[in-house]
Amino acid sequence: MDLIKLKVEGFKKIHEIELDLADVNILVGANGSGKSSVLQSVHLGCCLIRQADRVDPARTNTVGIEELDYLPTDDYKTLGHKTNWGNAAGSASSKLSLTFRKADGSEVAAYCEIRSARNAGISVSGTVPTEAVNLLRQKKKFFSAYIPGISGMPNKEERRSRKVILKSCSFGDSNVILRNALLLLKEEDEQNIQKIEGWLSSIVGPASIKVSHDDAQDLHIRCSIVYQGLERPIELAGTGFLQLIQIFCYVLLFSPGVLLIDEPDIHLHPNVQEKLAGVLAEIAKDRKMKVLLSTHSPFIVRGAPVDAKVYWLQEGAKNSEDRSAVELAIGWGAFGKKSILISEDTNLAHLRKIISQWPEVDRNVAFYPGSGFKALPTPKQAKEVHDALGGKYKIIVHRDRDALTDAEAARLIAEYQSEGIHLWLPQEADVEAYFCQPNFVETFLGCTLAEAETFLNGVLANQQTIREQFNSQRAALNQELHKQGGSPTNDDVWNEFATRPLKGAKGKYVLGQLQNSIGQHKFSKALILGSNLNGQVALDLKHKIEQVLAA
């Protein structure tokens, strides 16, 4: 039978979620979105269905804590969704449903409800159709295998029994018993190690594994990896290597119906991540196994086959299964955010610093760097980005004001607004100009306002350089906005800018000159980025983002 659907209710972050399954299924989303909750609920439910003496809809059965082959936390009563499990009928519980398709095309579902038992244990009720008993109720066969991220391994391992090895791996503790797992697989079938080597080599290149133990002579298991002509003890193989070996070891150790992998990308190079997704797809198909994994990586998603299911989770619920939207969002680091700020600046350090002043704003904004105003998306292109992301994000475009007149700025804002996109222009030429205002310099240096103005006037006295930069900006703007003519003269615009604090100068230029004149040990970009801005810099940007988020 083929597992085609799973449903989780009332477990940790998850209120209710139902997933149709392909061979490879990928859960993406921000931290705390419920990805791990889905994986853990499936594994716990499958273990309880297998371990309970009976799974009956009318009667409960208790599995003792010491008997369990998996438990996400010792404080198991807290595994309910926004409430602790109860221990009486009708009290808070968690539920797992697994739907299978039979060979004739009909469907059957296994179901379990779990809650705290009155004594130390977990209460199980539910139903397992006769057709699913051989899959789910075999004492010596695990239907699910759960793989958390690996975190190093001990330098030595004494030999353990098969039962200890399987229980440790089921709990997700394979890192402390990986040599034992490899030795067990080798002793059960010499070809097991060759299979792991084959999968490993298809991702990282030729590699082999040596594992042995002589009961008469060895206290510890011998295990090493041969790669690129060098043989090293397995503990020196590198965490990424160990993670791959761990995954492939679980495939053979459990031969599961569903392989659950929590963030396999953590220790892997992007190229390896992409190849891993393809290899897992091949394994799933060959072994008639489902793979359900969580990730933050666009490379895992990109490497998955075209028929893979990609689910975007948010706040414990399925937000989208539009793969193209998910790929775009994950590539932009937008999960868990409500808006995307597309900037013309390549280096976003100053912009990020400003927004970090307001944590509530900061946690809702994803940043996307650019390469100058000419590379910014047009209003229609920005709308296409908005639509491609399923309309789930407010799009804010940051363009420097440079030498734009007020009328030109209003025109650009209106053009973006007509497409439902928000354009933000700094009050003066650019973002850096906020750090060149007299009040900021006064506060930052702890000097008087008069002294701050003296520093600034010294920089602004170099009118020739500033005017040359201004003329260059106006030439570019005239080409962009006034191809048919009608532009105001440079002198008229220059005179208008003369009334502004920086008198038409670029903040980037003034900031660099202030650093030179005041001294890098007192005033510099690095010192500004490391300082506390007290929430008072660029308040117009704060108000703009708040307005956009509230719309």
Side-chain angles (χ1 to χ4, degrees):
M1 290 198 304
D2 186 28
L3 178 64
I4 61 171
K5 184 185 299 182
L6 64 85
K7 183 178 181 180
V8 177
E9 300 174 76
F11 186 86
K12 290 179 61 180
K13 192 73 176 180
I14 306 299
H15 168 59
E16 180 178 325
I17 192 168
E18 186 170 317
L19 304 177
D20 293 319
L21 300 180
D23 286 345
V24 176
N25 310 272
I26 302 174
L27 307 179
V28 299
N31 292 332
S33 61
K35 303 187 301 297
S36 295
S37 295
V38 172
L39 302 181
Q40 292 171 0
S41 65
V42 172
H43 189 45
L44 178 60
C46 288
C47 285
L48 287 167
I49 289 173
R50 181 179 61 83
Q51 290 187 268
D53 289 338
R54 62 178 180 272
V55 183
D56 191 308
R59 303 173 60 192
T60 62
N61 184 76
T62 298
V63 180
I65 295 303
E66 297 303 319
E67 303 170 45
L68 278 169
D69 284 329
Y70 175 68
L71 192 61
T73 173
D74 290 338
D75 193 8
Y76 56 90
K77 294 179 182 178
T78 65
L79 290 171
H81 175 64
K82 296 185 177 180
T83 186
N84 287 351
W85 280 344
N87 60 16
S91 62
S93 64
S94 300
K95 302 171 185 176
L96 172 68
S97 176
L98 303 171
T99 302
F100 299 87
R101 180 180 291 120
K102 299 194 298 183
D104 63 6
S106 62
E107 297 179 4
V108 294
Y111 163 83
C112 75
E113 182 172 8
I114 54 181
R115 55 168 58 91
S116 176
R118 295 186 183 279
N119 298 315
I122 295 180
S123 169
V124 185
S125 63
T127 182
V128 178
T130 302
E131 300 94 330
V133 168
N134 287 335
L135 291 175
L136 300 174
R137 296 279 290 151
Q138 296 298 309
K139 290 294 184 182
K140 295 183 179 181
K141 178 174 173 56
F142 292 70
F143 182 72
S144 64
Y146 172 61
I147 311 174
I150 199 165
S151 55
M153 63 185 303
N155 291 337
K156 298 177 181 179
E157 286 178 41
E158 295 183 4
R159 183 163 187 166
R160 304 293 184 187
S161 69
R162 187 178 194 277
K163 183 175 181 179
V164 170
I165 295 168
L166 291 177
K167 184 156 187 171
S168 293
C169 289
S170 182
F171 258 94
D173 295 332
S174 66
N175 60 306
V176 300
I177 208 162
L178 188 57
R179 297 178 186 85
N180 271 279
L182 289 168
L183 181 64
L184 176 61
L185 287 172
K186 178 183 177 182
E187 290 178 344
E188 289 184 344
D189 188 339
E190 285 278 352
Q191 292 187 353
N192 281 333
I193 298 299
Q194 295 174 17
K195 289 178 182 177
I196 294 176
E197 291 172 341
W199 293 329
L200 190 62
S201 297
S202 67
I203 295 175
V204 299
S208 61
I209 301 169
K210 296 182 178 180
V211 59
S212 63
H213 183 269
D214 186 330
D215 285 343
Q217 300 185 43
D218 294 336
L219 177 60
H220 300 106
I221 296 173
R222 303 170 185 270
C223 189
S224 60
I225 305 296
V226 180
Y227 181 62
Q228 294 182 340
L230 296 176
E231 181 174 350
R232 293 187 177 90
I234 191 170
E235 67 270 18
L236 300 181
T239 309
F241 242 97
L242 297 179
Q243 186 137 316
L244 293 173
I245 293 171
Q246 176 196 37
I247 291 170
F248 299 141
C249 190
Y250 269 66
V251 171
L252 298 177
L253 198 62
F254 293 103
S255 294
V258 58
L259 183 68
L260 309 160
I261 315 175
D262 206 352
E263 298 187 2
D265 49 283
I266 291 178
H267 301 292
L268 303 179
H269 186 276
N271 289 341
V272 174
Q273 295 174 28
E274 199 163 331
K275 290 179 180 178
L276 173 62
V279 170
L280 287 173
E282 293 174 6
I283 293 173
K285 183 177 181 180
D286 291 344
R287 302 181 71 86
K288 295 179 170 47
M289 173 185 75
K290 303 298 182 185
V291 174
L292 181 60
L293 63 87
S294 67
T295 187
H296 294 282
S297 168
F299 303 101
I300 290 283
V301 177
R302 186 182 303 158
V306 294
D307 59 347
K309 293 281 190 179
V310 180
Y311 292 103
W312 173 357
L313 271 57
Q314 189 169 350
E315 294 297 322
K318 183 170 61 178
N319 187 282
S320 174
E321 51 188 288
D322 181 341
R323 179 169 177 171
S324 61
V326 169
E327 288 187 6
L328 191 56
I330 201 171
W332 286 35
F335 289 124
K337 309 294 185 179
K338 294 181 180 178
S339 64
I340 298 175
L341 180 56
I342 304 175
S343 175
E344 73 165 63
D345 291 338
T346 303
N347 185 342
L348 299 180
H350 289 105
L351 190 58
R352 287 180 178 273
K353 178 65 179 178
I354 287 172
I355 293 179
S356 71
Q357 298 175 97
W358 316 296
E360 187 59 37
V361 172
D362 191 25
R363 70 172 57 99
N364 284 305
V365 177
F367 298 87
Y368 197 80
S371 55
F373 78 88
K374 292 183 180 180
L376 281 173
T378 65
K380 289 189 180 298
Q381 290 169 340
K383 176 67 162 52
E384 289 172 0
V385 170
H386 173 271
D387 293 345
L389 288 164
K392 298 182 183 299
Y393 301 97
K394 305 291 180 64
I395 305 296
I396 305 171
V397 175
H398 153 232
R399 171 173 175 161
D400 283 346
R401 188 175 292 266
D402 292 325
L404 285 166
T405 66
D406 290 342
E408 291 166 341
R411 169 185 161 186
L412 290 173
I413 290 171
E415 288 175 356
Y416 279 92
Q417 189 63 50
S418 68
E419 299 290 345
I421 306 299
H422 306 273
L423 177 67
W424 175 70
L425 303 167
Q427 289 183 333
E428 291 212 51
D430 50 22
V431 171
E432 289 80 1
Y434 288 103
F435 303 108
C436 304
Q437 302 300 311
N439 289 336
F440 176 82
V441 176
E442 173 193 14
T443 302
F444 188 84
L445 293 177
C447 63
T448 67
L449 182 60
E451 288 172 328
E453 289 173 339
T454 298
F455 286 130
L456 283 164
N457 290 335
V459 174
L460 298 177
N462 189 356
Q463 288 288 286
Q464 181 177 348
T465 299
I466 296 172
R467 181 63 191 261
E468 288 174 355
Q469 293 177 347
F470 173 85
N471 287 342
S472 176
Q473 292 167 8
R474 283 306 307 173
L477 291 171
N478 289 339
Q479 178 64 29
E480 176 191 5
L481 302 176
H482 303 284
K483 291 183 178 179
Q484 306 302 319
S487 167
T489 67
N490 284 7
D491 286 342
D492 286 344
V493 182
W494 176 254
N495 290 333
E496 177 187 330
F497 277 38
T499 62
R500 300 182 182 182
L502 296 188
K503 305 184 186 307
K506 290 279 286 184
K508 293 179 179 64
Y509 168 76
V510 177
L511 192 59
Q513 295 302 307
L514 285 174
Q515 177 175 300
N516 293 337
S517 60
I518 296 173
Q520 192 167 341
H521 61 291
K522 290 184 179 180
F523 190 88
S524 69
K525 298 174 185 177
L527 291 175
I528 289 171
L529 294 176
S531 68
N532 183 355
L533 301 184
N534 298 315
Q536 297 304 305
V537 177
L539 288 173
D540 64 297
L541 176 55
K542 177 177 185 283
H543 297 152
K544 177 68 175 181
I545 296 174
E546 289 176 336
Q547 179 187 32
V548 169
L549 294 175

